[in-house]
Amino acid sequence: MSRPPTFVPPACARARMLETSRGDFAVLDGLPGGAVRGTALLLPGYTGSKEDFIAMLEPLTAAGYRAVAVDGRGQYESEGPDAQEAYAQGELAQDVLAQAVAVGGPVHLVGHSLGGQIARATVLTDAASFRTLTLISSGPARISPGQRSKVELLSDALVAMDMAEVWDAMRALDPPEEAEPNGQGREDLRRRWLRHNPAQLLAAGRQLTVEPDRVGELAAVPLPKHVLSGERDDTWPVPLLDDMAQRLGAHRTVIEGAEHSPNTDRPRETAGALTAFWNQYAD
């Protein structure tokens, strides 16, 4: 589970609802103080939220980019249906296309982990609304065997227990080094977890365990691509991400000192890598 450093937006951003043709989505909308060089749409991963990008908003806007981080349908502060069918990858891709129109595309599309696979499905559906695509710690196909086992275990728990009971069970399994004094920082994470729709988590978890390799299809899309990751990753091993970048002909960035979530592990370095890439395709 991602651990944002805070859930309080910086001064450059405001929390609001983004109205689209597909419904309303909760966003953190970061705006530069001066001229806007471009707009980025940021998609979080499994069990995550828009706050996974919160520490990147200041450096992104300081570099002249509007940065819009989104809760997808059923994630945290965006409402979603209770039927798993509503979270099919094609449906989520249509949501992203509507979000891009609403923020005023073409945009730089960024997806972390599951968000990367949704971003990939989106540009494979229609790439016209996008200027570039960045996949952060998001691999070519389904997740690693160890992570599949964890997702399957979580899915079984979601069927058998309510969200509060699942939260308590997950925390009981936390290693000691992840314990926080007096539960500091846990209440925001717990609140976020409780507001996720279980149907979204079940559908997303299944997607992660069965996703096929679509790198060849994506390579054929004439869009500048960027593969970014930490130097360690147990969800998609780094050599697999290296190989994917080669197959895509993509720019490749490895963030030192980061693992599966460089956006929270090393947000300023990650923001710097993104803006350096975007600057090549700025207005």
Side-chain angles (χ1 to χ4, degrees), residues 10-60:
C12 66
R14 65 187 179 107
R16 69 181 186 94
M17 299 303 294
L18 179 69
E19 296 180 2
T20 82
S21 61
R22 300 275 293 180
D24 296 348
F25 296 88
V27 302
L28 295 175
D29 195 344
L31 292 170
V36 178
R37 302 194 67 182
T39 297
L41 188 63
L42 312 174
L43 313 181
Y46 180 58
T47 77
S49 68
K50 60 191 179 301
E51 286 73 19
D52 292 350
F53 301 103
I54 202 165
M56 294 171 52
L57 297 179
E58 280 189 336
L60 292 178

Side-chain angles (χ1 to χ4, degrees), residues 52-271:
D52 292 350
F53 301 103
I54 202 165
M56 294 171 52
L57 297 179
E58 280 189 336
L60 292 178
T61 57
Y65 289 91
R66 180 186 178 195
V68 183
V70 186
D71 284 340
R73 64 165 69 188
Q75 284 184 316
Y76 190 28
E77 295 181 316
S78 291
E79 296 296 325
D82 293 332
Q84 290 187 48
E85 295 78 10
Y87 303 97
Q89 194 179 74
E91 292 294 321
L92 302 181
Q94 292 297 328
D95 287 351
V96 177
L97 289 170
Q99 293 158 8
V101 170
V103 301
V107 303
H108 299 284
L109 183 60
V110 178
H112 171 239
S113 194
L114 172 72
Q117 296 198 334
I118 295 168
R120 178 172 75 177
T122 302
V123 301
L124 288 174
T125 301
D126 184 357
S129 294
F130 306 103
R131 193 174 300 277
T132 67
L133 171 66
T134 297
L135 305 176
I136 298 180
S137 303
S138 187
R142 62 182 182 170
I143 54 179
S144 67
Q147 290 300 312
R148 288 201 299 272
S149 296
K150 290 180 180 179
V151 169
E152 289 162 0
L153 183 62
L154 175 58
S155 296
D156 289 344
L158 287 166
V159 171
M161 297 184 282
D162 65 31
M163 292 291 282
E165 290 171 330
V166 175
W167 173 263
D168 290 341
M170 290 192 299
R171 298 290 67 80
L173 295 173
D174 281 347
E177 61 269 21
E178 291 188 12
E180 298 174 67
N182 302 316
Q184 180 181 356
R186 283 286 177 81
E187 190 50 41
D188 283 334
L189 295 174
R190 182 178 186 274
R191 186 182 304 113
R192 177 175 69 174
W193 170 261
L194 293 178
R195 292 193 64 176
H196 273 72
N197 190 306
Q200 184 270 336
L201 293 169
L202 286 165
R206 173 163 175 75
Q207 287 174 30
L208 286 169
T209 63
V210 301
E211 180 74 3
D213 188 321
R214 304 186 71 186
V215 175
E217 294 175 68
L218 184 60
V221 176
L223 193 69
K225 304 171 188 75
H226 183 192
V227 174
L228 186 151
S229 74
E231 60 182 350
R232 295 176 298 280
D233 197 312
D234 62 359
T235 304
W236 287 280
V238 170
L240 192 66
L241 299 174
D242 293 338
D243 178 70
M244 182 180 75
Q246 282 196 323
R247 292 169 63 195
L248 289 173
H251 183 70
R252 179 74 172 108
T253 301
V254 177
I255 304 295
E256 292 185 11
E259 298 189 16
H260 182 62
S261 297
N263 42 311
T264 56
D265 294 345
R266 295 289 187 272
R268 289 194 172 273
E269 294 84 349
T270 301

